[in-house]
């Protein structure tokens, strides 16, 4: 095993995974490990080694939020069933203090949500200053499931690309750093993961008979994903495309993207708003 696994990133993940418009999504190798030259054991070791830094950075964000800071981070997770969105939440987001996390999953809109525009429920779930927001699925479903299942006329969903970009520009301008991650597993891997959900009673709750319908529309979903990536990857809200057949790689990659995003805020610990020495003296005298 490598002494310093960090060096096994031959290209930083922010660079290796950042979506380049026009790249052919159907050519993605789902078992590849872009940028990473190490093996699984090295990857798992680096993931574990990152935990304290990630936790510290998130705590600094939280601390700034408590002392008047306006920054927040939003991690958007997109991917079809079994792509590993839940695993990212458990294993990557799970490394930080849950007090500072605002997690939200987006399913079929409820009756109440349907009374409003599609961004209504999204706006309500945006992270407050100091928080790490995590979206398991997101506003982008409006150009994915809505498009593939023809839930809206073409004329309507076509307008969403522009709306999504305008919305994210507004969110970014308000102080939220947006990190968008799209996870992709191969059709074979998806089949195996669905089979496991059927085999294991502890996974039945994750299985949805509708997943097979989605699977049968894979080519249409890939067209929709391709266009989503090409049209909604912007400077303030870039997409990172993560091949996810190897769970350890996907988790490591998202950990690195998140760590890098938090580092880029360059927050440090907020300065005390009181006289530290005076307080020490008061404490000693108490
Ligand atoms: P899960 O992520 O397994 O809980 O599944 C959530 C389901 O909600 C998926 O089948 C999504 O396609 C569906 N979904 C999410 N957003 C929308 C939306 N805006 N319109 C219709 N279905 C949606
Ligand atoms: Mg599901």
């Amino acid at each position: 095993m490598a002494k310093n696994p960090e060096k096994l990133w031959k290209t930083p993940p922010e660079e290796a995974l950042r979506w380049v418009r026009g790249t052919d999504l159907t050519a993605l190798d789902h078992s590849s490990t872009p940028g990473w030259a190490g093996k699984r054991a090295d990857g798992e070791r680096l993931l574990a080694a990152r935990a304290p830094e990630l936790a510290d950075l998130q705590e600094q964000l939280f601390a700034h939020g408590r002392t008047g800071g306006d920054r927040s981070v939003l991690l958007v997770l997109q991917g079809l069933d079994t792509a590993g969105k839940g695993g990212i939440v458990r294993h990557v987001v799970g490394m930080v203090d849950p007090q500072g996390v605002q997690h939200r999953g987006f399913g079929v809109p409820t009756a109440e949500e349907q009374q409003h525009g599609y961004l209504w429920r999204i706006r309500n779930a945006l992270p407050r200053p100091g928080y790490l927001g995590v979206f398991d699925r997101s506003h982008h479903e409006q150009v994915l499931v809505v498009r593939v299942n023809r839930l809206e006329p073409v004329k309507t969903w076509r307008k969403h690309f522009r709306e999504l970009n305008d919305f994210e520009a507004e969110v970014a301008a308000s102080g939220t750093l947006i990190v968008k991650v799209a996870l992709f597993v191969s059709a074979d891997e998806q089949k195996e993961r669905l089979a496991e959900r059927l085999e294991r009673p502890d996974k039945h709750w994750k299985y949805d008979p509708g997943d097979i319908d989605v699977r049968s529309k894979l080519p249409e979903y890939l067209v929709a994903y391709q266009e989503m990536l090409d049209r909604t990857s912007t400077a303030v809200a870039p997409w990172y495309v993560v091949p996810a057949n190897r769970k350890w790689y996907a988790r490591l990659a998202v950990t690195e993207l998140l760590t890098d995003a938090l580092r880029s805020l360059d927050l440090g610990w907020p300065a005390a708003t009181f006289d530290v020495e005076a307080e020490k003296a008061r404490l000693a005298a108490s």
Side-chain angles (χ1 to χ4, degrees):
M1 250 192 308
K3 260 212 190 94
N4 181 1
E6 205 170 341
K7 293 212 172 113
L8 293 168
W9 283 114
K10 296 303 167 193
T11 307
E14 313 78 79
E15 224 178 278
L17 298 168
R18 197 180 175 116
W19 182 250
V20 176
R21 258 184 223 168
T23 309
D24 179 6
L25 184 60
T26 61
L28 183 74
D29 177 354
H30 301 88
S31 296
S32 63
T33 60
W36 178 255
K39 297 217 165 28
R40 175 178 179 159
D42 297 310
E44 286 174 344
R45 214 154 53 91
L46 180 56
L47 181 78
R50 249 337 155 221
E53 185 186 1
L54 183 62
D56 266 5
L57 287 164
Q58 178 273 330
E59 194 179 343
Q60 288 176 349
L61 176 66
F62 192 72
H64 276 269
R66 280 300 175 88
T67 53
D70 68 347
R71 305 309 310 267
S72 60
V73 173
L74 175 61
L75 175 66
V76 173
L77 298 172
Q78 277 294 158
L80 294 177
D81 308 293
T82 77
K85 303 182 294 295
I88 296 291
V89 174
R90 185 193 284 211
H91 296 279
V92 178
V93 180
M95 290 194 280
V96 309
D97 187 342
Q99 280 187 87
V101 176
Q102 272 181 255
H103 171 273
R104 181 69 201 271
F106 294 100
V108 179
T110 62
E112 191 196 12
E113 287 167 352
Q114 278 172 21
Q115 305 283 304
H116 303 268
Y118 69 98
L119 289 174
W120 179 77
R121 62 177 184 168
I122 306 292
R123 284 185 194 279
N124 283 343
L126 287 172
R128 295 185 297 278
Y131 282 80
L132 167 61
V134 181
F135 285 180
D136 181 335
R137 301 186 191 267
S138 68
H139 35 302
H140 297 89
E141 289 290 342
Q142 218 64 23
V143 292
L144 297 171
V145 67
V146 169
R147 171 182 183 170
V148 170
N149 286 348
R150 301 186 170 84
L151 304 178
E152 284 180 341
V154 181
K155 237 176 42 209
T156 309
W157 65 253
R158 280 248 144 237
K159 290 191 193 134
H160 297 328
F161 294 114
R162 185 64 190 281
E163 291 160 5
L164 293 173
N165 291 342
D166 289 348
F167 170 68
E168 291 185 335
E170 180 199 315
V171 172
S174 77
T176 303
L177 181 61
I178 306 171
V179 181
K180 303 196 288 190
V181 172
L183 301 159
F184 292 96
V185 291
S186 62
D188 288 348
E189 180 68 21
Q190 188 192 49
K191 193 168 197 172
E192 261 176 51
R193 293 185 186 182
L194 287 173
E196 193 185 16
R197 288 184 182 181
L198 286 171
E199 275 319 308
R200 289 177 42 179
D202 64 319
K203 296 215 171 190
H204 286 168
W205 67 274
K206 285 195 200 182
Y207 184 82
D208 175 353
D211 294 350
I212 308 291
D213 305 320
V214 172
R215 199 176 144 71
S216 68
K217 292 179 187 162
L218 218 51
E220 283 118 297
Y221 269 102
L222 283 178
V223 169
Y225 264 100
Q226 172 86 47
E227 197 171 357
M228 177 202 77
L229 293 167
D230 286 341
R231 302 206 46 185
T232 66
S233 204
T234 60
V236 291
W239 276 108
Y240 296 96
V241 168
V242 177
N245 273 14
R246 299 173 198 258
K247 288 180 180 169
W248 65 265
Y249 173 79
R251 291 168 190 174
L252 173 64
V254 180
T255 300
E256 298 292 59
L257 293 172
L258 193 55
T259 305
D260 182 66
L262 283 160
R263 266 194 216 125
S264 77
L265 295 178
D266 198 18
L267 292 174
W269 296 105
T273 53
F274 48 86
D275 181 336
V276 178
E277 291 312 316
E279 290 305 308
K280 281 185 187 167
R282 284 183 65 220
L283 177 64
S286 69

